[in-house]
Amino acid sequence: MPQPRKSGGPARKPTARKPAARKPTARKPADAQAGEDQLRGNLAAVRELLARGVVITGERIQETMDEAVRRGRMTREDAEELVQSLVRGGRKQTQDLLAELEGLLG
C-alpha cells in the first residue's frame, strides 16, 4: 500500500535545473579607475589637512581666559586681546582649509 505524501501536495516530477547564467566580470574603464585614484588621493590629502589641525571652540577659549583672569594670572584686557587673536587666527585657518578642500574636490 502506498504511503501518503507528507507535504500533502501533488507529486512532482523532478526537473533538470538550467545552469545559472554567468555575469561577465565588468572591468572599469581606465578613465573610471583614474577618477577613483584621484578621489583616493584627494581624500588622503583632506585627511592630512585635518590631522594637522586642532579644533578649539571660541567658547572654550573664552572660558579658559576667564579662569586665568579669575586666578589673577592675567588682566581682563590681555585676556580679551588674546581671545580675539586666537579666534581671528582660527577663522583664517578655517578659510584656508576650505579653499584647499574646494581646490582638491574640484
Side-chain angles (χ1 to χ4, degrees), residues 34-45:
E36 274 190 27
D37 291 343
Q38 182 179 6
L39 178 62
R40 288 176 198 267
N42 289 346
L43 288 175

Side-chain angles (χ1 to χ4, degrees), residues 26-103:
R27 295 189 113 181
K28 294 181 184 175
D31 57 338
Q33 184 64 41
E36 274 190 27
D37 291 343
Q38 182 179 6
L39 178 62
R40 288 176 198 267
N42 289 346
L43 288 175
V46 168
R47 224 180 346 244
E48 182 183 326
L49 287 171
L50 293 174
R52 282 191 270 152
V54 175
V55 177
I56 302 174
T57 64
E59 183 178 293
R60 182 67 182 131
I61 293 170
Q62 187 66 53
E63 288 172 3
T64 303
M65 294 300 116
D66 288 345
E67 180 66 23
V69 169
R70 250 191 316 277
R71 291 179 177 215
R73 304 268 180 186
M74 64 187 340
T75 66
R76 171 65 56 193
E77 187 177 305
D78 288 345
E80 288 175 4
E81 188 178 317
L82 181 56
V83 167
Q84 291 302 317
S85 174
L86 290 171
V87 169
R88 194 171 30 254
R91 284 190 183 130
K92 179 163 180 3
Q93 286 177 338
T94 299
Q95 290 170 350
D96 292 347
L97 175 65
L98 289 174
E100 284 190 53
L101 288 175
E102 287 173 359

